[in-house]
Amino acid sequence: INPRIITIDGPAGAGKSTLAKEISKRFGYTHLDSGAIYRAIGFASKEMGIDLNNEIEVLEIAKKLKIELKGSRVFVNGKDVTEEIRTPEGGVLASQVAQHREVREVVVKILRNLAQGKKVVIDGRDAGTYIFPEAQLKIYLTASPEERAKRRYRELVEKGFKVSYEQVLKEVVERDKKDKSRKFAPLTVPKGAVIIDSTGKSLEQVLNEVKKLIDP
Ligand code: C5P
């Protein structure tokens, strides 16, 4: 079907960004990591010492920041923050600023601009429901909470973080709840989406399923 826009939504730790990166490499799509933008705003807000529950202040920061996505790297005001924002703390900060409707609207504008005239694969929570409801291919990628926590845990340990599996599982469950119960643009299965459950599947297996969808 040669879609111009592919959206990948789903809960934390389902493997969305890994899948998006592979699709980007193998099929020549630009990868837009929407979570990275929320993470960048969350981090910048914290650095400036503002209250993340204060929508007006977070909004002001979101509007001022120069956020760039280059390949899979994220730059804020010219500084590479890729590793810094991909921490458990970054996830918590992101989901706090992502609660605010006007902040979400700023992020959506950034993403729609970035996608103009390009073939893009975007991963997030509202990519297929809200950012690009017109996308030709929508994927909802999920896995059991335990499997997702296990993957996150391994990833974090590899990066040298001292975390426990129980703590990671708790955070995964909490973040799911927050993302699904948010008033504005919550995490749901987009209309027309193909649901892929990656529990017990390798990246290669999931990619094969996606390949059949892109190029049947
Ligand atoms: O995908 P990632 O783990 O980087 O996302 C971090 C957080 O940012 C999510 O838990 C969610 O609260 C928020 N987010 C969102 N909408 C998106 C992408 C991320 O609300 N499209």
Side-chain angles (χ1 to χ4, degrees):
I1 57 170
N2 194 20
R4 187 179 80 79
I5 299 175
I6 302 174
T7 63
I8 306 174
D9 291 302
K16 301 183 296 291
S17 71
T18 309
L19 179 62
K21 272 183 209 145
E22 281 304 311
I23 292 177
S24 146
K25 255 198 261 164
R26 298 199 196 188
F27 300 96
Y29 283 76
T30 298
H31 174 207
L32 299 182
D33 176 352
S34 63
I37 300 185
Y38 289 102
R39 285 171 184 262
I41 296 172
F43 247 94
S45 302
K46 195 196 154 211
E47 260 178 16
M48 295 189 192
I50 68 154
D51 173 7
L52 270 64
N53 292 313
N54 187 326
E55 174 155 19
I56 295 168
E57 287 187 10
V58 177
L59 180 65
E60 214 165 285
I61 288 179
K63 280 184 180 163
K64 268 196 219 140
L65 290 181
K66 185 169 156 235
I67 302 173
E68 296 164 290
L69 303 178
K70 294 182 191 161
S72 289
R73 305 209 69 82
V74 191
F75 294 80
V76 174
N77 296 337
K79 183 182 163 215
D80 188 340
V81 297
T82 315
E83 271 81 34
E84 197 178 333
I85 60 172
R86 235 351 69 246
T87 57
E89 188 201 5
V92 175
L93 296 173
S95 65
Q96 272 176 289
V97 298
Q99 303 286 319
H100 304 308
R101 178 183 186 132
E102 289 193 57
V103 174
R104 299 197 70 84
E105 282 169 355
V106 170
V107 173
V108 168
K109 256 189 221 145
I110 296 175
L111 290 164
R112 286 189 186 143
N113 271 332
L114 287 172
Q116 265 182 28
K118 288 192 203 104
K119 286 175 78 166
V120 298
V121 56
I122 172 168
D123 69 295
R125 303 293 185 292
D126 61 345
T129 51
Y130 186 73
I131 313 178
F132 298 113
E134 76 279 20
Q136 297 86 352
L137 177 58
K138 299 178 191 178
I139 295 166
Y140 187 84
L141 186 66
T142 186
S144 72
E146 291 74 19
E147 169 108 6
R148 291 187 281 121
K150 209 164 63 189
R151 291 182 194 157
R152 269 273 143 111
Y153 172 72
R154 275 199 222 117
E155 195 184 311
L156 290 170
V157 169
E158 249 166 54
K159 284 186 188 166
F161 288 102
K162 290 206 166 47
V163 288
S164 72
Y165 167 78
E166 285 71 29
Q167 182 60 27
V168 175
L169 177 62
K170 200 176 134 226
E171 277 170 15
V172 160
V173 172
E174 271 168 20
R175 197 123 68 82
D176 284 0
K177 208 170 126 199
K178 213 175 194 169
D179 290 340
K180 286 180 184 166
S181 61
R182 176 172 65 218
K183 272 203 208 97
F184 185 64
L187 170 65
T188 53
V189 180
K191 227 199 239 159
V194 178
I195 299 174
I196 299 179
D197 188 331
S198 69
T199 311
K201 286 180 194 157
S202 67
L203 173 63
E204 215 42 53
Q205 281 172 306
V206 174
L207 257 173
N208 262 328
E209 291 182 31
V210 173
K211 209 168 138 195
K212 282 184 206 142
L213 297 169
I214 296 178
D215 195 8

